[in-house]
Amino acid sequence: MTAEIIDGKKIAEKIINDLKSKVKNLKEKPGLALVLVGNNPASEIYVNFKEKDSKEVGLYCERFNLDKDINEMDLLKLVNDLNQKTNIHGILVQLPLPKQIDANLIIDSILPHKDVDGFTPLNLGNLVSENTILAPATARAVLYLIESTGMEIKGKNAVVVGRSNTVGKPTAMMLLEKNATVTICHSKTKNLAEHTKKADILVVACGKPRLVTKDMVKQGSVVIDVGINREGGKLIGDVDFESVKEVAGYITPVPGGVGPMTRAMLLQNTLKAMELAKR
Ligand code: GUN
């Protein structure tokens, strides 16, 4: 059996087209502030994409490129100013931040209803209490892609490899909310394959190129690869796509899987943030 490839790019295009027509009919444009500190090449690429997507959909976008040596107080001041601006509905501070800055302090200073990343304690906490308002874009992308296969999540064994606050933990919470039996694995997990082999749904977000191989995957499972690793100018995932597609039922490619969907979910969150501002 060869897995069906989940075409994240195509699914995202449809979402983006829907958003375009929605935004066209709005009197006020949703406003997104993108804050980039320093010149981490990967972060620059991500923010470039986010800016391009926002403009394509018709959002009002303000981008701030800040010096890598900026101090915490100045960055806090910028976030506070953006919190006050009525034409800015969403604020995204690209991570990682330089080491002189406490990233938690900066994220915590974003007003929760403008937190389009869903990273503030209130928004992450709301995931736990099943009162989701703004959820992290990548976790939303993962859930959307699983549901696009038509597989029912309820009662399934879901294994998430990776426990980051930005991807692994929120994804696990959202799968739990959908009544999956969830296991979170991480770098200290013993016998990783023992867990992954039981997964009907396997989400891999640990940043280790080709960590998951064919022998670690259950026949017919849904495999979602969140990894983006650069190897010799090529992007590769955390899943060994070529071997795993021989056993999985569905699999996302890298690139063209979770990445474009995450971008689409961020735009959706920005529209939602504007609706929240009107409440
Ligand atoms: N760095 C890598 N992914 C993300 C993301 O989704 N949001 C932010 N703010 N920074 C990131």
Side-chain angles (χ1 to χ4, degrees), residues 103-137:
N104 284 330
L105 185 77
I106 302 301
I107 298 301
D108 293 0
S109 73
I110 300 172
L111 282 175
H113 67 271
K114 292 196 176 192
D115 167 32
V116 283
D117 263 327
F119 291 170
T120 58
L122 187 86
N123 283 321
L124 285 176
N126 277 338
L127 282 186
V128 177
S129 54
E130 303 189 356
N131 176 33
T132 305
I133 296 172
L134 285 167

Side-chain angles (χ1 to χ4, degrees), residues 35 43 46 50 92-96 107 117 119 137-138 166-167 262:
V35 181
S43 294
Y46 293 137
K50 290 169 190 177
L92 182 144
V93 179
Q94 186 68 23
L95 301 175
I107 298 301
D117 263 327
F119 291 170
T138 307
T166 52
V167 184
T262 298

Side-chain angles (χ1 to χ4, degrees), residues 197-241:
K197 267 196 276 195
K198 292 186 191 139
D200 304 303
I201 297 165
L202 179 59
V203 180
V204 194
C206 60
K208 295 213 168 70
R210 297 194 193 89
L211 174 77
V212 171
T213 47
K214 178 179 172 177
D215 50 310
M216 298 167 73
V217 172
K218 183 176 173 180
Q219 191 87 32
S221 57
V222 176
V223 179
I224 308 290
D225 188 353
V226 184
I228 303 179
N229 308 288
R230 278 158 230 276
E231 199 180 75
K234 254 183 78 180
L235 288 185
I236 57 162
D238 293 348
V239 173
D240 181 27
F241 182 82

